[in-house]
Coordinates of all heavy atoms in Angstrom, one line a residue:
M27 N 85.7 125.6 -46.6 CA 84.7 125.7 -47.6 C 84.0 124.3 -47.8 O 84.7 123.3 -47.7 CB 85.4 126.1 -48.9 CG 84.7 125.7 -50.2 SD 85.6 126.4 -51.5 CE 85.6 125.0 -52.7
T28 N 82.7 124.3 -48.0 CA 82.0 123.1 -48.1 C 81.8 122.7 -49.5 O 81.4 123.5 -50.3 CB 80.6 123.3 -47.5 OG1 80.7 123.7 -46.1 CG2 79.8 122.0 -47.5
P29 N 82.2 121.5 -49.8 CA 82.0 121.0 -51.2 C 80.6 120.7 -51.6 O 79.7 120.5 -50.7 CB 82.8 119.7 -51.3 CG 82.8 119.2 -49.9 CD 82.8 120.4 -49.0
D30 N 80.2 120.7 -52.9 CA 78.9 120.4 -53.3 C 78.6 118.9 -53.1 O 77.5 118.5 -52.8 CB 78.7 120.7 -54.8 CG 78.7 122.2 -55.0 OD1 78.4 123.0 -54.0 OD2 79.2 122.6 -56.0
I31 N 79.7 118.1 -53.3 CA 79.5 116.7 -53.2 C 80.6 116.2 -52.3 O 81.7 116.6 -52.3 CB 79.8 116.0 -54.6 CG1 78.6 116.4 -55.6 CG2 79.8 114.5 -54.5 CD1 78.8 116.0 -57.0
C32 N 80.2 115.3 -51.4 CA 81.1 114.7 -50.4 C 82.2 114.0 -51.1 O 82.0 113.1 -51.9 CB 80.4 113.8 -49.5 SG 81.4 113.0 -48.3
P33 N 83.5 114.4 -50.9 CA 84.6 113.7 -51.5 C 84.8 112.3 -50.9 O 85.6 111.5 -51.5 CB 85.8 114.6 -51.2 CG 85.4 115.5 -50.0 CD 83.9 115.5 -50.0
N34 N 84.2 112.1 -49.8 CA 84.4 110.8 -49.1 C 83.4 109.7 -49.7 O 83.8 108.6 -50.0 CB 84.1 111.0 -47.6 CG 84.8 109.9 -46.8 OD1 85.9 109.4 -47.1 ND2 84.1 109.4 -45.8
C35 N 82.1 110.1 -49.8 CA 81.1 109.1 -50.2 C 80.4 109.5 -51.4 O 79.6 108.7 -52.0 CB 80.1 108.8 -49.1 SG 79.0 110.1 -48.7
G36 N 80.5 110.8 -51.9 CA 79.9 111.2 -53.1 C 78.5 111.7 -52.9 O 77.8 112.0 -53.9
A37 N 78.0 111.8 -51.7 CA 76.6 112.3 -51.5 C 76.6 113.8 -51.7 O 77.6 114.5 -51.6 CB 76.2 112.0 -50.1
D38 N 75.4 114.3 -52.1 CA 75.2 115.7 -52.2 C 75.2 116.4 -50.9 O 74.5 115.9 -49.9 CB 73.8 116.0 -52.9 CG 73.8 115.6 -54.4 OD1 74.9 115.6 -55.0 OD2 72.7 115.3 -54.9
I39 N 75.9 117.5 -50.8 CA 76.0 118.2 -49.5 C 75.0 119.4 -49.7 O 75.2 120.2 -50.6 CB 77.4 118.7 -49.2 CG1 78.4 117.6 -49.4 CG2 77.5 119.4 -47.9 CD1 78.3 116.6 -48.3
P40 N 74.0 119.5 -48.8 CA 73.2 120.7 -48.8 C 74.0 122.0 -48.6 O 74.9 122.0 -47.9 CB 72.2 120.5 -47.6 CG 72.3 119.0 -47.3 CD 73.7 118.6 -47.7
P41 N 73.6 123.0 -49.3 CA 74.3 124.3 -49.2 C 74.4 124.7 -47.7 O 73.3 124.7 -47.1 CB 73.5 125.3 -50.0 CG 72.7 124.4 -51.0 CD 72.4 123.1 -50.3
G42 N 75.5 125.1 -47.3 CA 75.7 125.6 -45.9 C 75.9 124.5 -44.9 O 76.2 124.8 -43.7
A43 N 75.7 123.2 -45.3 CA 75.9 122.1 -44.3 C 77.4 122.0 -43.9 O 78.3 122.3 -44.7 CB 75.4 120.8 -45.0
R44 N 77.6 121.7 -42.7 CA 79.0 121.6 -42.2 C 79.4 120.1 -42.2 O 80.6 119.8 -42.2 CB 79.1 122.1 -40.8 CG 78.5 123.5 -40.6 CD 79.3 124.6 -41.2 NE 80.7 124.6 -40.7 CZ 81.6 125.4 -41.2 NH1 81.3 126.1 -42.2 NH2 82.8 125.4 -40.7
V45 N 78.5 119.2 -42.3 CA 78.8 117.8 -42.2 C 78.0 117.0 -43.3 O 76.9 117.4 -43.6 CB 78.4 117.2 -40.8 CG1 78.6 115.7 -40.7 CG2 79.1 118.0 -39.7
C46 N 78.6 116.0 -43.8 CA 78.0 115.2 -44.8 C 76.8 114.4 -44.2 O 77.0 113.7 -43.2 CB 79.0 114.2 -45.4 SG 78.2 113.0 -46.6
P47 N 75.6 114.5 -44.7 CA 74.5 113.8 -44.1 C 74.6 112.3 -44.3 O 73.9 111.6 -43.6 CB 73.3 114.4 -44.9 CG 73.8 114.9 -46.2 CD 75.2 115.3 -45.9
E48 N 75.3 111.8 -45.3 CA 75.4 110.4 -45.6 C 76.5 109.7 -44.7 O 76.2 108.8 -44.0 CB 75.8 110.2 -47.0 CG 74.6 110.5 -48.0 CD 73.4 109.6 -47.7 OE1 73.6 108.3 -47.5 OE2 72.3 110.1 -47.7
C49 N 77.7 110.2 -44.7 CA 78.8 109.5 -44.0 C 79.3 110.3 -42.8 O 80.1 109.8 -42.0 CB 79.9 109.2 -45.0 SG 80.8 110.7 -45.5
G50 N 78.8 111.5 -42.6 CA 79.2 112.3 -41.4 C 80.6 112.9 -41.5 O 81.1 113.4 -40.5
S51 N 81.3 112.8 -42.6 CA 82.6 113.5 -42.7 C 82.4 115.0 -42.7 O 81.4 115.5 -43.1 CB 83.3 113.0 -44.0 OG 82.7 113.5 -45.1
D52 N 83.4 115.7 -42.2 CA 83.3 117.1 -42.1 C 84.7 117.7 -42.5 O 85.6 117.0 -42.9 CB 82.8 117.6 -40.8 CG 83.7 117.1 -39.6 OD1 84.9 116.8 -39.9 OD2 83.2 117.1 -38.5
E53 N 84.8 119.0 -42.2 CA 86.1 119.7 -42.6 C 87.3 119.0 -41.9 O 88.4 118.9 -42.4 CB 86.0 121.2 -42.2 CG 85.2 122.0 -43.1 CD 85.0 123.4 -42.6 OE1 86.0 124.1 -42.5 OE2 83.8 123.7 -42.3
Q54 N 87.1 118.6 -40.6 CA 88.2 118.0 -39.9 C 88.5 116.6 -40.4 O 89.7 116.2 -40.6 CB 87.8 117.9 -38.4 CG 88.2 119.1 -37.6 CD 87.3 120.3 -37.8 OE1 86.1 120.1 -37.9 NE2 87.8 121.4 -38.0
T55 N 87.5 115.8 -40.6 CA 87.7 114.4 -40.9 C 87.7 114.1 -42.4 O 88.4 113.2 -42.8 CB 86.6 113.5 -40.3 OG1 85.4 113.8 -40.8 CG2 86.6 113.7 -38.8
G56 N 86.9 114.8 -43.2 CA 86.7 114.4 -44.5 C 87.2 115.3 -45.6 O 88.2 115.0 -46.3
W57 N 86.5 116.5 -45.7 CA 86.8 117.3 -46.9 C 87.7 118.5 -46.6 O 87.3 119.6 -46.8 CB 85.5 117.7 -47.5 CG 84.5 118.5 -46.7 CD1 84.8 119.7 -46.1 CD2 83.2 118.2 -46.3 NE1 83.7 120.2 -45.5 CE2 82.7 119.3 -45.6 CE3 82.3 117.1 -46.6 CZ2 81.4 119.3 -45.1 CZ3 81.1 117.2 -46.1 CH2 80.6 118.3 -45.4
S58 N 88.8 118.2 -46.1 CA 89.8 119.3 -46.1 C 90.0 119.8 -47.5 O 89.6 119.1 -48.5 CB 91.1 118.8 -45.5 OG 91.7 117.8 -46.4
E59 N 90.6 120.9 -47.6 CA 90.9 121.5 -49.0 C 91.6 120.4 -49.8 O 91.3 120.3 -51.0 CB 91.7 122.8 -48.9 CG 91.0 123.9 -48.3 CD 89.8 124.4 -49.2 OE1 90.0 124.4 -50.4 OE2 88.8 124.8 -48.7
E60 N 92.5 119.7 -49.2 CA 93.3 118.7 -50.0 C 92.4 117.6 -50.5 O 92.5 117.2 -51.6 CB 94.4 118.1 -49.1 CG 95.5 119.1 -48.8 CD 95.2 120.1 -47.7 OE1 94.2 119.9 -47.0 OE2 95.8 121.2 -47.7
A61 N 91.5 117.1 -49.6 CA 90.6 116.0 -49.9 C 89.7 116.5 -51.1 O 89.5 115.7 -52.0 CB 89.8 115.6 -48.7
Y62 N 89.2 117.7 -50.9 CA 88.3 118.2 -51.9 C 89.0 118.3 -53.3 O 88.5 117.8 -54.3 CB 87.8 119.6 -51.5 CG 86.8 120.2 -52.4 CD1 85.7 119.4 -52.9 CD2 86.8 121.5 -52.7 CE1 84.8 120.0 -53.7 CE2 85.8 122.1 -53.5 CZ 84.8 121.3 -54.0 OH 83.9 121.9 -54.8
A63 N 90.2 118.9 -53.3 CA 90.9 119.1 -54.6 C 91.3 117.7 -55.2 O 91.0 117.5 -56.3 CB 92.1 119.9 -54.3
S64 N 91.8 116.8 -54.4 CA 92.2 115.5 -54.9 C 91.0 114.7 -55.3 O 91.1 113.9 -56.3 CB 93.1 114.8 -53.9 OG 92.3 114.5 -52.8
G65 N 89.9 114.9 -54.6 CA 88.7 114.1 -54.9 C 88.2 114.5 -56.3 O 87.6 113.7 -57.0
L66 N 88.3 115.7 -56.7 CA 87.9 116.2 -58.0 C 89.0 116.1 -59.0 O 88.7 116.5 -60.2 CB 87.4 117.7 -57.9 CG 86.0 117.8 -57.1 CD1 85.7 119.3 -57.1 CD2 84.9 117.0 -57.8
D67 N 90.2 115.7 -58.6 CA 91.3 115.6 -59.5 C 91.6 116.9 -60.2 O 91.9 117.0 -61.3 CB 91.0 114.6 -60.7 CG 91.9 113.4 -60.6 OD1 92.8 113.4 -59.8 OD2 91.7 112.5 -61.3
L68 N 91.6 118.0 -59.3 CA 91.9 119.3 -59.9 C 93.4 119.6 -59.6 O 94.0 119.1 -58.6 CB 91.1 120.4 -59.1 CG 89.6 120.4 -59.4 CD1 89.0 121.5 -58.6 CD2 89.4 120.8 -60.9
P69 N 94.0 120.3 -60.6 CA 95.4 120.7 -60.3 C 95.4 121.7 -59.1 O 94.5 122.5 -59.0 CB 95.8 121.4 -61.6 CG 94.6 121.4 -62.5 CD 93.5 120.7 -61.8
D70 N 96.4 121.7 -58.4 CA 96.5 122.6 -57.2 C 96.6 124.0 -57.6 O 97.4 124.3 -58.5 CB 97.7 122.2 -56.3 CG 97.5 120.9 -55.5 OD1 96.3 120.6 -55.4 OD2 98.4 120.3 -55.1
E71 N 95.8 124.9 -56.9 CA 96.0 126.3 -57.1 C 95.8 126.8 -58.5 O 96.2 127.9 -58.9 CB 97.4 126.8 -56.6 CG 97.7 126.3 -55.2 CD 96.9 127.0 -54.1 OE1 96.6 128.2 -54.4 OE2 96.6 126.4 -53.1
E72 N 95.2 126.0 -59.3 CA 95.0 126.4 -60.7 C 93.9 127.4 -60.9 O 94.1 128.4 -61.6 CB 94.7 125.2 -61.6 CG 94.8 125.4 -63.1 CD 96.3 125.6 -63.5 OE1 97.1 124.9 -62.8 OE2 96.5 126.4 -64.4
F73 N 92.9 127.3 -60.1 CA 91.7 128.2 -60.3 C 91.1 128.4 -58.9 O 90.6 127.4 -58.3 CB 90.7 127.6 -61.2 CG 89.5 128.5 -61.5 CD1 89.7 129.7 -62.1 CD2 88.3 128.1 -61.0 CE1 88.6 130.5 -62.3 CE2 87.2 128.9 -61.2 CZ 87.3 130.1 -61.9
D74 N 91.1 129.6 -58.4 CA 90.5 129.9 -57.1 C 89.1 130.4 -57.3 O 88.9 131.6 -57.6 CB 91.4 130.9 -56.3 CG 91.0 131.0 -54.9 OD1 89.8 130.8 -54.6 OD2 91.8 131.3 -54.0
Y75 N 88.1 129.5 -57.1 CA 86.8 129.9 -57.4 C 86.3 131.0 -56.5 O 85.6 132.0 -56.9 CB 85.9 128.7 -57.2 CG 84.4 128.9 -57.7 CD1 84.2 129.2 -59.0 CD2 83.4 128.8 -56.8 CE1 82.9 129.4 -59.5 CE2 82.1 129.0 -57.2 CZ 81.9 129.3 -58.6 OH 80.6 129.5 -59.0
D76 N 86.7 131.0 -55.2 CA 86.3 132.0 -54.2 C 86.8 133.4 -54.7 O 86.1 134.4 -54.7 CB 86.8 131.7 -52.8 CG 85.9 130.6 -52.2 OD1 84.8 130.5 -52.6 OD2 86.5 129.9 -51.3
E77 N 88.1 133.3 -55.1 CA 88.7 134.6 -55.6 C 88.0 135.1 -56.8 O 87.8 136.3 -57.0 CB 90.2 134.4 -55.8 CG 91.0 135.6 -55.9 CD 92.4 135.4 -56.5 OE1 92.5 135.4 -57.7 OE2 93.3 135.3 -55.7
F78 N 87.7 134.2 -57.7 CA 87.0 134.5 -58.9 C 85.6 135.2 -58.6 O 85.3 136.3 -59.2 CB 86.7 133.3 -59.8 CG 85.8 133.5 -60.9 CD1 86.2 134.1 -62.1 CD2 84.5 133.0 -60.9 CE1 85.4 134.3 -63.1 CE2 83.6 133.2 -61.9 CZ 84.1 133.9 -63.1
L79 N 84.9 134.6 -57.7 CA 83.6 135.2 -57.3 C 83.8 136.5 -56.7 O 83.1 137.5 -57.1 CB 82.9 134.3 -56.3 CG 82.2 133.0 -56.9 CD1 81.5 132.3 -55.7 CD2 81.2 133.5 -57.9
A80 N 84.8 136.7 -55.8 CA 85.0 137.9 -55.2 C 85.4 139.0 -56.2 O 84.9 140.1 -56.1 CB 86.1 137.8 -54.1
R81 N 86.1 138.6 -57.2 CA 86.6 139.6 -58.2 C 85.4 140.0 -59.1 O 85.2 141.2 -59.4 CB 87.7 139.0 -59.1 CG 88.5 140.0 -59.8 CD 89.8 139.4 -60.3 NE 89.6 138.2 -61.1 CZ 90.2 137.0 -60.9 NH1 91.0 136.9 -59.9 NH2 89.9 136.0 -61.6
E82 N 84.5 139.1 -59.4 CA 83.4 139.4 -60.4 C 82.2 140.0 -59.6 O 81.5 140.8 -60.2 CB 83.0 138.1 -61.1 CG 83.9 137.7 -62.2 CD 84.0 138.8 -63.3 OE1 83.0 139.3 -63.7 OE2 85.2 139.1 -63.6
F83 N 82.0 139.7 -58.4 CA 80.8 140.1 -57.7 C 81.2 140.9 -56.4 O 81.0 140.4 -55.4 CB 79.9 139.0 -57.4 CG 79.5 138.2 -58.7 CD1 80.1 137.0 -58.9 CD2 78.6 138.7 -59.6 CE1 79.8 136.3 -60.1 CE2 78.3 138.0 -60.7 CZ 78.9 136.8 -61.0
G84 N 81.7 142.1 -56.5 CA 81.8 142.9 -55.4 C 83.2 143.0 -54.7 O 83.4 144.0 -54.1
G85 N 84.0 142.0 -54.9 CA 85.3 142.1 -54.3 C 86.3 142.9 -55.1 O 86.0 143.7 -56.0
G86 N 87.6 142.7 -54.8 CA 88.6 143.3 -55.6 C 89.1 144.6 -55.0 O 88.5 145.1 -54.1
T87 N 90.1 145.1 -55.6 CA 90.7 146.4 -55.1 C 89.7 147.5 -55.6 O 88.9 147.3 -56.5 CB 92.1 146.6 -55.8 OG1 91.9 146.7 -57.2 CG2 93.0 145.4 -55.4
P88 N 89.8 148.7 -55.0 CA 89.0 149.8 -55.4 C 89.2 150.1 -56.9 O 88.2 150.5 -57.6 CB 89.5 151.0 -54.6 CG 90.1 150.3 -53.3 CD 90.6 149.0 -53.8
K89 N 90.4 150.0 -57.4 CA 90.6 150.2 -58.8 C 89.8 149.2 -59.7 O 89.2 149.6 -60.7 CB 92.1 150.1 -59.1 CG 92.6 150.6 -60.4 CD 94.0 150.4 -60.7 CE 94.4 150.7 -62.1 NZ 95.8 150.2 -62.4
E90 N 89.8 148.0 -59.3 CA 89.1 147.0 -60.0 C 87.6 147.2 -60.0 O 86.9 147.1 -61.0 CB 89.4 145.6 -59.5 CG 90.8 145.1 -59.9 CD 91.1 143.8 -59.1 OE1 90.6 143.6 -58.1 OE2 92.0 143.0 -59.6
K91 N 87.1 147.7 -58.8 CA 85.7 148.0 -58.7 C 85.3 149.1 -59.6 O 84.3 149.1 -60.3 CB 85.4 148.4 -57.2 CG 85.3 147.2 -56.3 CD 84.9 147.7 -54.9 CE 85.0 146.6 -53.9 NZ 84.7 147.1 -52.5
R92 N 86.2 150.1 -59.7 CA 85.9 151.3 -60.5 C 85.9 150.9 -62.0 O 85.0 151.2 -62.8 CB 86.9 152.4 -60.3 CG 86.5 153.8 -60.6 CD 87.2 154.8 -59.9 NE 88.6 154.6 -59.9 CZ 89.4 154.6 -58.9 NH1 88.9 154.7 -57.7 NH2 90.7 154.4 -59.0
A93 N 86.9 150.1 -62.4 CA 86.9 149.6 -63.8 C 85.7 148.8 -64.1 O 85.1 149.0 -65.2 CB 88.2 148.7 -63.9
R94 N 85.2 147.9 -63.2 CA 84.1 147.1 -63.4 C 82.8 148.0 -63.6 O 82.0 147.8 -64.5 CB 83.9 146.2 -62.3 CG 82.9 145.0 -62.6 CD 83.1 143.9 -61.6 NE 83.0 144.4 -60.3 CZ 83.9 144.1 -59.3 NH1 84.9 143.4 -59.5 NH2 83.7 144.7 -58.1
R95 N 82.7 149.1 -62.8 CA 81.6 149.9 -62.9 C 81.5 150.7 -64.2 O 80.5 150.8 -64.9 CB 81.6 151.0 -61.7 CG 80.3 151.7 -61.6 CD 80.1 152.3 -60.2 NE 81.3 153.2 -59.8 CZ 82.0 153.0 -58.7 NH1 81.7 152.1 -57.9 NH2 83.0 153.8 -58.5
W96 N 82.7 151.2 -64.6 CA 82.8 151.9 -65.9 C 82.5 151.0 -67.1 O 81.9 151.4 -68.1 CB 84.1 152.5 -66.1 CG 84.2 153.8 -65.4 CD1 84.9 154.1 -64.3 CD2 83.5 155.0 -65.7 NE1 84.7 155.4 -63.9 CE2 83.8 156.0 -64.7 CE3 82.5 155.3 -66.6 CZ2 83.2 157.2 -64.7 CZ3 82.0 156.6 -66.6 CH2 82.3 157.5 -65.7
R97 N 82.8 149.7 -66.9 CA 82.5 148.7 -68.0 C 81.0 148.6 -68.1 O 80.5 148.6 -69.2 CB 83.1 147.4 -67.6 CG 83.3 146.5 -68.8 CD 84.2 145.3 -68.5 NE 83.6 144.5 -67.5 CZ 84.3 143.7 -66.7 NH1 85.6 143.7 -66.7 NH2 83.7 142.9 -65.8
W98 N 80.3 148.6 -67.0 CA 78.8 148.5 -67.1 C 78.2 149.7 -67.6 O 77.3 149.7 -68.4 CB 78.3 148.1 -65.7 CG 78.4 146.7 -65.4 CD1 79.2 146.1 -64.5 CD2 77.6 145.6 -66.0 NE1 79.0 144.7 -64.6 CE2 78.1 144.4 -65.5 CE3 76.7 145.6 -67.0 CZ2 77.5 143.2 -65.9 CZ3 76.1 144.4 -67.4 CH2 76.6 143.2 -66.8
V99 N 78.8 150.9 -67.2 CA 78.2 152.2 -67.7 C 78.4 152.2 -69.2 O 77.5 152.6 -69.9 CB 79.0 153.3 -67.0 CG1 78.7 154.6 -67.7 CG2 78.6 153.5 -65.5
L100 N 79.5 151.8 -69.7 CA 79.8 151.8 -71.1 C 78.8 150.9 -71.8 O 78.2 151.3 -72.8 CB 81.2 151.3 -71.4 CG 81.8 151.6 -72.7 CD1 82.0 153.1 -72.8 CD2 83.1 150.9 -72.9
V101 N 78.6 149.7 -71.3 CA 77.6 148.8 -71.9 C 76.2 149.4 -71.9 O 75.5 149.3 -73.0 CB 77.6 147.4 -71.1 CG1 76.4 146.6 -71.5 CG2 78.9 146.7 -71.3
L102 N 75.8 150.0 -70.9 CA 74.5 150.6 -70.8 C 74.4 151.8 -71.8 O 73.3 151.9 -72.5 CB 74.2 151.1 -69.4 CG 73.9 150.0 -68.4 CD1 73.7 150.6 -67.0 CD2 72.7 149.2 -68.8
V103 N 75.4 152.6 -71.9 CA 75.4 153.7 -72.9 C 75.3 153.2 -74.3 O 74.5 153.7 -75.1 CB 76.6 154.6 -72.7 CG1 76.8 155.5 -73.8 CG2 76.6 155.3 -71.4
M104 N 76.1 152.1 -74.6 CA 76.0 151.6 -75.9 C 74.6 151.0 -76.2 O 74.1 151.2 -77.3 CB 77.0 150.4 -76.0 CG 78.5 150.9 -75.9 SD 79.0 151.9 -77.3 CE 79.4 150.6 -78.4
L105 N 74.0 150.3 -75.3 CA 72.6 149.8 -75.5 C 71.7 151.0 -75.7 O 70.8 150.9 -76.5 CB 72.2 149.0 -74.2 CG 72.8 147.6 -74.2 CD1 72.4 146.9 -72.9 CD2 72.2 146.8 -75.4
G106 N 71.8 152.1 -74.9 CA 70.9 153.2 -75.0 C 71.1 153.8 -76.4 O 70.0 154.1 -77.1
L107 N 72.3 154.0 -76.9 CA 72.5 154.6 -78.2 C 71.9 153.7 -79.3 O 71.2 154.1 -80.2 CB 74.0 154.7 -78.5 CG 74.6 155.9 -77.8 CD1 76.1 155.9 -78.1 CD2 74.0 157.2 -78.3
L108 N 72.1 152.4 -79.1 CA 71.5 151.4 -80.1 C 70.0 151.5 -80.2 O 69.4 151.6 -81.2 CB 71.9 150.0 -79.6 CG 72.2 149.0 -80.7 CD1 73.3 149.4 -81.6 CD2 72.4 147.6 -80.1
L109 N 69.4 151.6 -79.0 CA 67.9 151.7 -79.0 C 67.5 153.0 -79.6 O 66.5 153.1 -80.3 CB 67.4 151.6 -77.5 CG 67.3 150.2 -76.9 CD1 66.8 150.3 -75.5 CD2 66.3 149.4 -77.8
Y110 N 68.2 154.1 -79.3 CA 67.9 155.4 -79.8 C 67.9 155.4 -81.3 O 67.0 156.0 -81.9 CB 68.9 156.4 -79.2 CG 68.6 157.8 -79.7 CD1 67.6 158.6 -79.1 CD2 69.4 158.4 -80.7 CE1 67.3 159.9 -79.5 CE2 69.1 159.7 -81.1 CZ 68.1 160.4 -80.5 OH 67.9 161.7 -80.9
Y111 N 68.9 154.8 -81.9 CA 69.0 154.9 -83.3 C 68.1 153.9 -84.0 O 67.7 154.1 -85.2 CB 70.5 154.7 -83.8 CG 71.3 155.9 -83.5 CD1 72.3 155.9 -82.6 CD2 71.0 157.1 -84.2 CE1 73.1 157.0 -82.4 CE2 71.8 158.2 -84.0 CZ 72.8 158.2 -83.1 OH 73.5 159.3 -82.9
L112 N 67.9 152.8 -83.4 CA 67.1 151.7 -84.0 C 65.6 151.8 -83.7 O 64.8 151.0 -84.4 CB 67.7 150.3 -83.6 CG 69.1 150.1 -84.0 CD1 69.5 148.7 -83.6 CD2 69.2 150.2 -85.6
W113 N 65.2 152.6 -82.8 CA 63.8 152.6 -82.4 C 63.0 153.1 -83.6 O 63.3 154.2 -84.2 CB 63.6 153.5 -81.2 CG 62.4 153.1 -80.4 CD1 61.2 153.8 -80.4 CD2 62.3 152.1 -79.5 NE1 60.4 153.1 -79.6 CE2 61.0 152.1 -79.0 CE3 63.2 151.1 -79.0 CZ2 60.5 151.2 -78.0 CZ3 62.8 150.2 -78.1 CH2 61.4 150.3 -77.6
P114 N 62.0 152.5 -84.0 CA 61.2 152.9 -85.1 C 60.4 154.2 -84.9 O 60.0 154.4 -83.8 CB 60.2 151.7 -85.4 CG 60.2 150.9 -84.2 CD 61.5 151.2 -83.4
Ligands
ZN3 ZN1 79.9 111.6 -47.2

């Protein structure tokens, strides 16, 4: 995974870039997962952002997907009822 900021020199990494444009570090030499985590002073394994994204936007088990869909259906129905009753 590519960090937003180079853990080696602190330069901004363009989205999708494989190598730091400033210092040339890459996954092999510079921003291994360990380097990235320690560079940001994050506790290990505390929060998996990729897993969070996958869970919230499209990933997850079929059961989780179904639950998420029903949650949205419920929200839409509630909004519809609200509009129906409050519409002048
Ligand atoms: Zn760099």
